[in-house]
Amino acid sequence: MARLPHRIIKETQRLLAEAVPGIKAQPDEKNARYFPVAVAGPQDFPLTEILLFFSFLSLFFFVEGGTFKLELFLPEEYSTVALKLCFMTKIYHPNVDALGRICLDILKGKWSPALHIRIDLLSIQALLSASTMM
């Protein structure tokens, strides 16, 4: 594999040195562009009881204090294009499709090189905490 760009090295170092509470992300040993990610579910989630009512579906619903697994990949063109982020844990959320793809403006058309891995992960954490589920 080609040498990693300086930006990816710096972002990875910062992510490891300044851990974000509720988020665990470390580069894979074999591929430094791939990060398995774990994000803690929201605490005091207001719709937990409503969502558990629908638990007969085969999707994983928000459960207070649960952990969600994601995959993060930095394409060769990163930072001129957005990173790739996908839920591996089945989840019911209006911004996540059945395949785990996330509809979030900063991962699509609103991407900017001013953004970085840490901000994207914080945005996912905020998305999970949003109570606009209906």
Side-chain angles (χ1 to χ4, degrees):
M1 180 184 346
R3 188 170 181 265
L4 285 175
H6 182 71
R7 175 177 170 147
I8 291 176
I9 294 168
K10 292 304 252 180
E11 284 189 44
T12 301
Q13 288 172 341
R14 180 171 182 220
L15 193 61
L16 296 174
E18 301 171 22
V20 180
I23 298 175
K24 181 182 178 194
Q26 292 186 321
D28 184 71
E29 291 177 10
K30 296 179 182 174
N31 184 352
R33 290 181 176 272
Y34 171 76
F35 292 68
V37 178
V39 178
Q43 298 297 317
D44 304 321
F45 187 67
L47 297 176
T48 300
E49 292 177 19
I50 295 169
L51 293 173
L52 288 177
F53 175 75
F54 294 103
S55 64
F56 60 89
L57 297 175
S58 62
L59 298 174
F60 181 88
F61 291 98
F62 284 100
V63 176
E64 192 172 309
T67 299
F68 298 88
K69 295 192 183 307
L70 297 92
E71 285 185 343
L72 183 151
F73 181 74
L74 303 172
E76 289 290 327
E77 303 83 17
Y78 181 80
S79 68
T80 57
V81 299
L83 54 80
K84 307 295 181 199
L85 199 54
C86 184
F87 274 93
M88 301 312 292
T89 302
K90 294 289 185 184
I91 181 173
Y92 177 78
H93 192 284
N95 293 82
V96 181
D97 72 10
L99 298 175
R101 294 176 298 204
I102 303 162
C103 181
L104 189 61
D105 59 353
I106 65 169
L107 296 178
K108 308 276 188 220
K110 299 281 184 177
W111 171 256
S112 163
L115 300 172
H116 48 83
I117 299 169
R118 185 182 182 88
I119 290 173
D120 289 332
L121 293 176
L122 286 167
S123 297
I124 295 300
Q125 193 175 47
L127 184 76
L128 288 174
S129 297
S131 60
T132 55
M133 295 288 296
M134 301 276 184

